[in-house]
Amino acid sequence: MSLYPLALLPQVTISQGKAQMPLVPGTDPEYASPDAVIAAWVEQGAAWVHVVDNDAAAGDTSNYAHLAKATGAHVQLAADIADEQSLQAALTAKPSRIVITPTDLTWTQNTLAKHADLLAVGLDIRAANVFDLRPTLDDAGATRYVVHDVATHHHWRHEDRHLLKEFCEQTDSKVVANGGIAHLEDLHTLHELVPSGLDGIILNEPLYNGNFMYAEAVAASADRFDMFFWGPPDPNSSW
């Protein structure tokens, strides 16, 4: 059986300086500093984590010092980064990848030209211009997209999933599906898109509401999951 590269990224959401620890069944949720939470996901086998810093998105970048101390996993950072000031602040967190928002297309193109391999472009699959915008971003050097669906239901299911499939098939860049997973069966469904270019899935609510554990997600993806495809952290990396 061929092994397709697929990464499963637990999401760490920071609000007021704290993030929820991985759920321990039968206990109340616990919260800790971002670096402590990332360390807990590393213990469960995560090589990458997707960090959403709501504080930084609101203008408070004080969590970045904690993120810079995080070890053991690559950090993919999202914090509504859409201009040079927010990008430079994000760099101080020393993430392995930064998700930028292409609100200002000129800035996005210039930034991709400088840092293409260090960036992913965050897109809403339901945005009116997303399929028209993609060729421009590809030409600017986008090597990876983080694609989400803002619909309140049907995430990546049935009629919604074809949008993600079409997007994957129309670009040579890698695609990460952001959220849209509620049950293990949803992982099985998204596996169909891996040969089309899907190489990552961000896991959020189900890891924190008890629907399944990270180890169960890895087991459910065993035929397509390569824990080390994106590589263990490089201690010599400047990022």
PDB file of all heavy atoms in Angstrom, residues 199-220:
ATOM      1  N   ASP A 199      -2.197  17.758   2.106  1.00  0.00           N
ATOM      2  CA  ASP A 199      -1.133  17.099   2.868  1.00  0.00           C
ATOM      3  C   ASP A 199      -1.164  17.442   4.348  1.00  0.00           C
ATOM      4  O   ASP A 199      -0.251  17.105   5.084  1.00  0.00           O
ATOM      5  CB  ASP A 199       0.250  17.380   2.275  1.00  0.00           C
ATOM      6  CG  ASP A 199       0.832  18.712   2.717  1.00  0.00           C
ATOM      7  OD1 ASP A 199       0.063  19.636   3.037  1.00  0.00           O
ATOM      8  OD2 ASP A 199       2.075  18.831   2.750  1.00  0.00           O
ATOM      9  N   GLY A 200      -2.244  18.081   4.796  1.00  0.00           N
ATOM     10  CA  GLY A 200      -2.367  18.373   6.214  1.00  0.00           C
ATOM     11  C   GLY A 200      -3.807  18.618   6.611  1.00  0.00           C
ATOM     12  O   GLY A 200      -4.613  19.104   5.805  1.00  0.00           O
ATOM     13  N   ILE A 201      -4.136  18.282   7.860  1.00  0.00           N
ATOM     14  CA  ILE A 201      -5.464  18.524   8.409  1.00  0.00           C
ATOM     15  C   ILE A 201      -5.287  19.098   9.809  1.00  0.00           C
ATOM     16  O   ILE A 201      -4.567  18.532  10.639  1.00  0.00           O
ATOM     17  CB  ILE A 201      -6.302  17.237   8.481  1.00  0.00           C
ATOM     18  CG1 ILE A 201      -6.491  16.629   7.094  1.00  0.00           C
ATOM     19  CG2 ILE A 201      -7.663  17.513   9.120  1.00  0.00           C
ATOM     20  CD1 ILE A 201      -7.159  15.262   7.103  1.00  0.00           C
ATOM     21  N   ILE A 202      -5.932  20.229  10.067  1.00  0.00           N
ATOM     22  CA  ILE A 202      -5.895  20.849  11.388  1.00  0.00           C
ATOM     23  C   ILE A 202      -7.070  20.328  12.204  1.00  0.00           C
ATOM     24  O   ILE A 202      -8.224  20.368  11.760  1.00  0.00           O
ATOM     25  CB  ILE A 202      -5.953  22.383  11.263  1.00  0.00           C
ATOM     26  CG1 ILE A 202      -4.703  22.891  10.535  1.00  0.00           C
ATOM     27  CG2 ILE A 202      -6.067  23.035  12.637  1.00  0.00           C
ATOM     28  CD1 ILE A 202      -4.772  24.353  10.137  1.00  0.00           C
ATOM     29  N   LEU A 203      -6.766  19.827  13.396  1.00  0.00           N
ATOM     30  CA  LEU A 203      -7.774  19.255  14.279  1.00  0.00           C
ATOM     31  C   LEU A 203      -8.002  20.202  15.447  1.00  0.00           C
ATOM     32  O   LEU A 203      -7.071  20.573  16.157  1.00  0.00           O
ATOM     33  CB  LEU A 203      -7.312  17.892  14.797  1.00  0.00           C
ATOM     34  CG  LEU A 203      -6.962  16.844  13.736  1.00  0.00           C
ATOM     35  CD1 LEU A 203      -6.378  15.603  14.391  1.00  0.00           C
ATOM     36  CD2 LEU A 203      -8.190  16.496  12.908  1.00  0.00           C
ATOM     37  N   ASN A 204      -9.270  20.560  15.657  1.00  0.00           N
ATOM     38  CA  ASN A 204      -9.576  21.515  16.715  1.00  0.00           C
ATOM     39  C   ASN A 204     -10.568  20.940  17.715  1.00  0.00           C
ATOM     40  O   ASN A 204     -10.209  20.185  18.609  1.00  0.00           O
ATOM     41  CB  ASN A 204     -10.090  22.826  16.109  1.00  0.00           C
ATOM     42  CG  ASN A 204     -10.230  23.930  17.154  1.00  0.00           C
ATOM     43  OD1 ASN A 204      -9.876  23.756  18.317  1.00  0.00           O
ATOM     44  ND2 ASN A 204     -10.757  25.061  16.748  1.00  0.00           N
ATOM     45  N   GLU A 205     -11.862  21.257  17.536  1.00  0.00           N
ATOM     46  CA  GLU A 205     -12.871  20.926  18.537  1.00  0.00           C
ATOM     47  C   GLU A 205     -12.894  19.467  18.984  1.00  0.00           C
ATOM     48  O   GLU A 205     -13.003  19.199  20.186  1.00  0.00           O
ATOM     49  CB  GLU A 205     -14.276  21.323  18.041  1.00  0.00           C
ATOM     50  CG  GLU A 205     -14.545  22.817  18.032  1.00  0.00           C
ATOM     51  CD  GLU A 205     -14.143  23.457  16.719  1.00  0.00           C
ATOM     52  OE1 GLU A 205     -13.493  22.761  15.901  1.00  0.00           O
ATOM     53  OE2 GLU A 205     -14.462  24.637  16.523  1.00  0.00           O
ATOM     54  N   PRO A 206     -12.799  18.493  18.081  1.00  0.00           N
ATOM     55  CA  PRO A 206     -12.944  17.107  18.542  1.00  0.00           C
ATOM     56  C   PRO A 206     -11.862  16.668  19.513  1.00  0.00           C
ATOM     57  O   PRO A 206     -12.085  15.761  20.324  1.00  0.00           O
ATOM     58  CB  PRO A 206     -12.891  16.289  17.245  1.00  0.00           C
ATOM     59  CG  PRO A 206     -12.224  17.176  16.256  1.00  0.00           C
ATOM     60  CD  PRO A 206     -12.645  18.561  16.618  1.00  0.00           C
ATOM     61  N   LEU A 207     -10.699  17.316  19.465  1.00  0.00           N
ATOM     62  CA  LEU A 207      -9.640  16.973  20.414  1.00  0.00           C
ATOM     63  C   LEU A 207      -9.913  17.541  21.805  1.00  0.00           C
ATOM     64  O   LEU A 207      -9.330  17.086  22.788  1.00  0.00           O
ATOM     65  CB  LEU A 207      -8.289  17.495  19.920  1.00  0.00           C
ATOM     66  CG  LEU A 207      -7.745  16.873  18.632  1.00  0.00           C
ATOM     67  CD1 LEU A 207      -6.392  17.492  18.300  1.00  0.00           C
ATOM     68  CD2 LEU A 207      -7.612  15.360  18.752  1.00  0.00           C
ATOM     69  N   TYR A 208     -10.803  18.536  21.868  1.00  0.00           N
ATOM     70  CA  TYR A 208     -11.065  19.206  23.138  1.00  0.00           C
ATOM     71  C   TYR A 208     -12.447  18.899  23.708  1.00  0.00           C
ATOM     72  O   TYR A 208     -12.716  19.197  24.869  1.00  0.00           O
ATOM     73  CB  TYR A 208     -10.904  20.722  22.972  1.00  0.00           C
ATOM     74  CG  TYR A 208      -9.490  21.133  22.637  1.00  0.00           C
ATOM     75  CD1 TYR A 208      -9.123  21.451  21.331  1.00  0.00           C
ATOM     76  CD2 TYR A 208      -8.517  21.188  23.626  1.00  0.00           C
ATOM     77  CE1 TYR A 208      -7.820  21.821  21.023  1.00  0.00           C
ATOM     78  CE2 TYR A 208      -7.208  21.560  23.329  1.00  0.00           C
ATOM     79  CZ  TYR A 208      -6.873  21.881  22.021  1.00  0.00           C
ATOM     80  OH  TYR A 208      -5.577  22.237  21.723  1.00  0.00           O
ATOM     81  N   ASN A 209     -13.323  18.342  22.880  1.00  0.00           N
ATOM     82  CA  ASN A 209     -14.662  18.021  23.398  1.00  0.00           C
ATOM     83  C   ASN A 209     -14.848  16.528  23.655  1.00  0.00           C
ATOM     84  O   ASN A 209     -15.935  16.095  24.027  1.00  0.00           O
ATOM     85  CB  ASN A 209     -15.756  18.526  22.446  1.00  0.00           C
ATOM     86  CG  ASN A 209     -15.718  17.873  21.072  1.00  0.00           C
ATOM     87  OD1 ASN A 209     -15.110  16.822  20.882  1.00  0.00           O
ATOM     88  ND2 ASN A 209     -16.367  18.498  20.089  1.00  0.00           N
ATOM     89  N   GLY A 210     -13.784  15.754  23.434  1.00  0.00           N
ATOM     90  CA  GLY A 210     -13.843  14.340  23.758  1.00  0.00           C
ATOM     91  C   GLY A 210     -14.320  13.438  22.643  1.00  0.00           C
ATOM     92  O   GLY A 210     -14.491  12.235  22.852  1.00  0.00           O
ATOM     93  N   ASN A 211     -14.522  13.996  21.438  1.00  0.00           N
ATOM     94  CA  ASN A 211     -14.977  13.141  20.334  1.00  0.00           C
ATOM     95  C   ASN A 211     -13.947  12.070  19.994  1.00  0.00           C
ATOM     96  O   ASN A 211     -14.292  10.934  19.685  1.00  0.00           O
ATOM     97  CB  ASN A 211     -15.270  13.984  19.091  1.00  0.00           C
ATOM     98  CG  ASN A 211     -16.637  14.633  19.161  1.00  0.00           C
ATOM     99  OD1 ASN A 211     -17.295  14.592  20.196  1.00  0.00           O
ATOM    100  ND2 ASN A 211     -17.059  15.247  18.073  1.00  0.00           N
ATOM    101  N   PHE A 212     -12.675  12.435  20.001  1.00  0.00           N
ATOM    102  CA  PHE A 212     -11.614  11.450  19.832  1.00  0.00           C
ATOM    103  C   PHE A 212     -10.304  12.040  20.328  1.00  0.00           C
ATOM    104  O   PHE A 212     -10.158  13.260  20.480  1.00  0.00           O
ATOM    105  CB  PHE A 212     -11.479  10.957  18.381  1.00  0.00           C
ATOM    106  CG  PHE A 212     -11.270  12.033  17.342  1.00  0.00           C
ATOM    107  CD1 PHE A 212     -10.025  12.609  17.147  1.00  0.00           C
ATOM    108  CD2 PHE A 212     -12.320  12.447  16.530  1.00  0.00           C
ATOM    109  CE1 PHE A 212      -9.819  13.576  16.171  1.00  0.00           C
ATOM    110  CE2 PHE A 212     -12.135  13.424  15.551  1.00  0.00           C
ATOM    111  CZ  PHE A 212     -10.873  13.988  15.377  1.00  0.00           C
ATOM    112  N   MET A 213      -9.344  11.175  20.584  1.00  0.00           N
ATOM    113  CA  MET A 213      -8.026  11.578  21.039  1.00  0.00           C
ATOM    114  C   MET A 213      -7.086  11.674  19.835  1.00  0.00           C
ATOM    115  O   MET A 213      -7.347  11.116  18.772  1.00  0.00           O
ATOM    116  CB  MET A 213      -7.475  10.576  22.058  1.00  0.00           C
ATOM    117  CG  MET A 213      -8.402  10.316  23.237  1.00  0.00           C
ATOM    118  SD  MET A 213      -8.644  11.778  24.271  1.00  0.00           S
ATOM    119  CE  MET A 213      -7.018  11.892  25.054  1.00  0.00           C
ATOM    120  N   TYR A 214      -5.960  12.360  20.034  1.00  0.00           N
ATOM    121  CA  TYR A 214      -5.005  12.509  18.938  1.00  0.00           C
ATOM    122  C   TYR A 214      -4.499  11.149  18.473  1.00  0.00           C
ATOM    123  O   TYR A 214      -4.374  10.907  17.266  1.00  0.00           O
ATOM    124  CB  TYR A 214      -3.835  13.391  19.380  1.00  0.00           C
ATOM    125  CG  TYR A 214      -2.860  13.693  18.265  1.00  0.00           C
ATOM    126  CD1 TYR A 214      -3.202  14.584  17.249  1.00  0.00           C
ATOM    127  CD2 TYR A 214      -1.609  13.082  18.219  1.00  0.00           C
ATOM    128  CE1 TYR A 214      -2.316  14.867  16.216  1.00  0.00           C
ATOM    129  CE2 TYR A 214      -0.724  13.353  17.185  1.00  0.00           C
ATOM    130  CZ  TYR A 214      -1.080  14.246  16.187  1.00  0.00           C
ATOM    131  OH  TYR A 214      -0.206  14.508  15.159  1.00  0.00           O
ATOM    132  N   ALA A 215      -4.236  10.258  19.397  1.00  0.00           N
ATOM    133  CA  ALA A 215      -3.749   8.922  19.025  1.00  0.00           C
ATOM    134  C   ALA A 215      -4.767   8.184  18.175  1.00  0.00           C
ATOM    135  O   ALA A 215      -4.405   7.423  17.268  1.00  0.00           O
ATOM    136  CB  ALA A 215      -3.419   8.115  20.270  1.00  0.00           C
ATOM    137  N   GLU A 216      -6.054   8.407  18.442  1.00  0.00           N
ATOM    138  CA  GLU A 216      -7.097   7.770  17.642  1.00  0.00           C
ATOM    139  C   GLU A 216      -7.124   8.346  16.234  1.00  0.00           C
ATOM    140  O   GLU A 216      -7.371   7.625  15.262  1.00  0.00           O
ATOM    141  CB  GLU A 216      -8.452   7.941  18.317  1.00  0.00           C
ATOM    142  CG  GLU A 216      -8.583   7.208  19.629  1.00  0.00           C
ATOM    143  CD  GLU A 216      -9.905   7.475  20.322  1.00  0.00           C
ATOM    144  OE1 GLU A 216     -10.213   8.656  20.572  1.00  0.00           O
ATOM    145  OE2 GLU A 216     -10.640   6.502  20.614  1.00  0.00           O
ATOM    146  N   ALA A 217      -6.865   9.667  16.115  1.00  0.00           N
ATOM    147  CA  ALA A 217      -6.821  10.282  14.796  1.00  0.00           C
ATOM    148  C   ALA A 217      -5.657   9.720  13.981  1.00  0.00           C
ATOM    149  O   ALA A 217      -5.789   9.444  12.786  1.00  0.00           O
ATOM    150  CB  ALA A 217      -6.689  11.797  14.925  1.00  0.00           C
ATOM    151  N   VAL A 218      -4.524   9.528  14.636  1.00  0.00           N
ATOM    152  CA  VAL A 218      -3.361   8.950  13.951  1.00  0.00           C
ATOM    153  C   VAL A 218      -3.688   7.529  13.496  1.00  0.00           C
ATOM    154  O   VAL A 218      -3.390   7.134  12.364  1.00  0.00           O
ATOM    155  CB  VAL A 218      -2.134   8.953  14.877  1.00  0.00           C
ATOM    156  CG1 VAL A 218      -0.988   8.165  14.251  1.00  0.00           C
ATOM    157  CG2 VAL A 218      -1.697  10.389  15.163  1.00  0.00           C
ATOM    158  N   ALA A 219      -4.313   6.753  14.375  1.00  0.00           N
ATOM    159  CA  ALA A 219      -4.656   5.375  14.027  1.00  0.00           C
ATOM    160  C   ALA A 219      -5.663   5.339  12.880  1.00  0.00           C
ATOM    161  O   ALA A 219      -5.566   4.494  11.983  1.00  0.00           O
ATOM    162  CB  ALA A 219      -5.219   4.651  15.242  1.00  0.00           C
ATOM    163  N   ALA A 220      -6.617   6.267  12.885  1.00  0.00           N
ATOM    164  CA  ALA A 220      -7.630   6.308  11.827  1.00  0.00           C
ATOM    165  C   ALA A 220      -7.031   6.688  10.489  1.00  0.00           C
ATOM    166  O   ALA A 220      -7.601   6.405   9.440  1.00  0.00           O
ATOM    167  CB  ALA A 220      -8.733   7.293  12.197  1.00  0.00           C
TER     168      ALA A 220
END
